[in-house]
């Protein structure tokens, strides 16, 4: 069946979902249920969301959080943040509070000019196109009068139009480079409408308009945010050392593009979260910021640091073309709520708030990197995601969270802890307790059938004796285990992990050995002799080779035998 379709946009939402699930999903009913469970019960609100884009089938939720305690230019803010990364809001909140007692964030808007361009081709004489442009420049402004009228009332509009010769880069290529002030509007539609009107007025037979479009590179729409304090006010065990390492980390990001990309990504964690929360265009902001980071010809850090006369200073300059009116900012209920939370800021104020959020995020990342390491705090926050992934109960969450309170969280360590909580308690066999061993073993005979494996009861007992003889130095385990393999395998003996069914040391045969003794009783007596020998052998011996784990001392051999006895006792249902 063909998966191509015509007229998809004309289908109802239910028809779109039916077509999608029939063609691309195995479990259609489950898929439909997942899609529909994210619909809003308020039909009018759902319709509003459906109308944002085309071919809507559901809503994709993102966490909406807040970072309190931001003091920006002596005014206190709660910053809304929409982001999926677990540590972002926590890091911003901590840093906001940290700097709130050290003067807060100082911010200023350097410029708000935005750019649009009419790209065209002209093969004639350069002086003629210059003459034509200069003669008609006033008419180009006039061509946009009906569009710019309302913007001009708010103090915005077209600032200038320039003719730019780019023929040295591309044959016959010119631009009309237009600068705009859009005040509290992001201004994309306004700018593009002006550019199209200008292009239509400018075009003639020998001028071929290629396209008219705004630029998301806005190097003159820039904001600066800064924090500073005396070095000793940074706190910690050694604030001078911290300041110096922090400074070095920023300098590395200034000169090393590989580091700068990740460094700036951390800044954008904070910026994008506020951009999304306020209904602005995070793709445009991202593109403009990274282009700005490359303006010198090499990609570099957006933030900078200095240590002068005992004062630590950290700042950022970043282009941010934003709006607080128009677009989603006026339609999306949560975007409107975010702007109200920010005390209904102008676009200039919003630029300053976002720059502070980006700088806070960068400070948090660099502080972690130069002290405990980035994973310590990040994985602490990620812990809850891992627990949810494994459907942990509230009791399990409480136990695991407490367990990792002062430990580094890793995915594998969390999984291991969850598995340990859910695994039935293991009744480890203390093989040195001969009364315990005896009480277990006299329940079987040589005809006892195993739950797994091929050995009968007596063969299992003699097998335990054989491994004890290896540890006692009576049988040479000549199988070589490299130091690298030994170092990788031995840590298992320190865990609560059990020997897996099918585990077999390399020198052991696939089939059970022939019986050595005439009865189970004789085999048990020999086992006890080997247990006694184990206790005395290591009074003089330092280590004996294990055919799988390598050289083991008394403590490691003891751990192995506990696991080995327990494994084979389980084989015959004795534990």
């Amino acid at each position: 069946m063909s998966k191509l379709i015509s007229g998809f946009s004309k289908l109802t939402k239910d028809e779109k979902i039916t077509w999608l699930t029939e063609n691309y999903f195995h479990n259609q009913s489950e898929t439909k249920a997942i899609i529909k469970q994210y619909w809003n019960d308020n039909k009018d609100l759902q319709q509003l969301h459906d109308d944002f884009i085309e071919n809507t089938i559901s809503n994709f939720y993102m966490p909406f959080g807040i970072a309190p305690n931001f003091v920006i230019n002596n005014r206190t803010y709660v910053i809304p943040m929409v982001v999926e990364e677990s540590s972002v809001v926590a890091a911003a909140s901590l840093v906001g509070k940290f700097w709130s007692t050290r003067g807060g964030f100082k911010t200023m808007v350097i410029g708000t000019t935005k750019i649009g361009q009419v790209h065209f081709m002209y093969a004639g004489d350069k002086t003629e196109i210059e003459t034509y442009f200069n003669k008609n420049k006033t008419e180009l402004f006039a061509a946009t009068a009906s569009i710019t009228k309302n913007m001009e009332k708010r103090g915005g509009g077209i600032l200038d139009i320039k003719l730019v010769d780019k023929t040295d880069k591309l044959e016959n290529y010119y631009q009309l480079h237009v600068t705009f002030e859009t005040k509290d509007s992001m201004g994309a539609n306004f700018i593009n409408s002006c550019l199209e009107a200008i292009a239509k007025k400018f075009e003639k037979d020998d001028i071929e308009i290629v396209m008219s479009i705004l630029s998301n590179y806005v190097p003159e729409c820039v904001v600066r945010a800064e924090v500073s304090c005396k070095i000793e006010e940074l706190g910690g065990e050694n604030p001078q050392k911290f300041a110096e390492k922090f400074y070095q980390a920023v300098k590395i990001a200034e000169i090393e593009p590989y580091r700068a990309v990740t460094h700036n990504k951390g800044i954008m964690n904070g910026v994008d979260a506020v951009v999304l929360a306020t209904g602005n265009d995070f793709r445009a902001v991202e593109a403009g910021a990274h282009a700005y980071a490359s303006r010198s010809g090499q990609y570099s850090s957006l933030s900078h640091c200095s240590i002068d006369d005992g004062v630590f200073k950290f700042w950022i300059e970043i282009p941010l073309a934003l709006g607080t009116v128009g677009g989603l900012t006026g339609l999306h209920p949560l975007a409107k709520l975010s702007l109200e939370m920010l005390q209904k800021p102008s676009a200039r104020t919003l630029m300053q708030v976002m720059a502070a959020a980006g700088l806070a995020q960068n400070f948090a990342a660099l502080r972690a990197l130069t002290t405990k390491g980035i994973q310590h705090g990040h994985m602490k926050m990620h812990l809850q995601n891992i627990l949810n992934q494994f459907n942990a109960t509230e009791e399990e969450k409480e136990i695991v969270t407490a367990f990792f309170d002062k430990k580094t969280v890793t995915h594998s360590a969390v999984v291991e802890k969850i598995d340990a909580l859910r695994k039935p308690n293991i009744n480890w066999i203390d093989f040195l307790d001969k009364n315990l061993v005896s009480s277990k073993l006299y329940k079987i005979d040589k005809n006892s059938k195993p739950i797994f494996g091929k050995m009968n009861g007596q063969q299992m007992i003699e097998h335990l004796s054989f491994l004890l003889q290896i540890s006692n130095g009576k049988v040479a385990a000549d199988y070589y285990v490299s130091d690298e393999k030994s170092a990788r395998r031995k840590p298992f003996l320190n865990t609560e992990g059990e020997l897996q069914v099918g585990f077999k040391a390399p020198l052991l045969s696939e089939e059970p050995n022939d019986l050595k003794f005439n009865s189970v009783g004789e085999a048990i007596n020999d086992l006890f002799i080997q247990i006694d020998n184990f206790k005395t052998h290591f009074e003089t011996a330092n280590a004996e080779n294990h055919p799988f784990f390598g050289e083991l001392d008394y403590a490691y051999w003891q751990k192995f035998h506990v696991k080995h006895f327990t494994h084979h006792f389980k084989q015959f249902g004795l534990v």
Side-chain angles (χ1 to χ4, degrees), residues 168-182:
D168 59 327
K169 304 290 185 182
L170 177 65
E171 188 177 6
N172 301 332
Y173 171 43
Y174 292 83
Q175 300 171 355
L176 294 181
H177 187 86
V178 189
T179 50
F180 296 86
E181 169 58 61
T182 62

Side-chain angles (χ1 to χ4, degrees), residues 400-450:
V400 175
T401 301
F403 178 79
F404 284 102
D405 182 45
K406 298 189 184 301
K407 297 181 177 69
T408 298
V409 177
T410 66
H411 189 278
S412 59
V414 176
V415 173
E416 184 177 315
K417 184 62 179 175
I418 293 172
D419 287 344
L421 287 175
R422 294 175 176 178
K423 190 179 291 185
N425 290 332
I426 302 168
N427 295 317
W428 294 108
I429 297 298
D430 179 4
F431 71 102
L432 296 176
D433 184 346
K434 289 194 288 185
N435 289 329
L436 172 66
V437 173
S438 176
S439 67
K440 298 287 185 183
L441 290 182
Y442 278 117
K443 295 177 182 178
I444 65 173
D445 58 37
K446 67 179 180 182
N447 296 317
S448 296
K449 301 296 183 184

Side-chain angles (χ1 to χ4, degrees), residues 2 22 24 55 58 90 129 146 174 208 216 314 328 353 369 443 460 482 489 495 498 540:
S2 173
E22 285 178 353
Y24 288 94
N55 295 340
S58 192
I129 192 67
S146 61
Y174 292 83
E208 180 188 0
N216 292 126
F314 182 47
L328 278 189
V353 170
L369 280 168
K443 295 177 182 178
M460 180 270 287
S482 68
R489 294 170 178 175
T495 71
E498 298 180 75
T540 56

Side-chain angles (χ1 to χ4, degrees), residues 45 150 217 293 301 367 395 459 523:
L45 184 59
N150 289 332
Y217 181 43
S301 169
R367 182 168 63 177
E395 183 181 5
Q459 287 170 328

Side-chain angles (χ1 to χ4, degrees), residues 531-543:
I531 291 172
D532 290 336
N533 288 343
F534 177 77
K535 294 176 183 178
T536 58
H537 177 68
F538 280 96
E539 291 176 1
T540 56
N542 292 321

Side-chain angles (χ1 to χ4, degrees), residues 57-78:
I57 61 169
S58 192
N59 308 309
F60 189 96
Y61 291 173
M62 292 272 280
F64 183 104
I66 59 169
N69 300 318
F70 268 78
V71 176
I72 303 171
N73 294 342
N74 300 316
R75 189 176 187 183
T76 304
Y77 289 88
V78 172

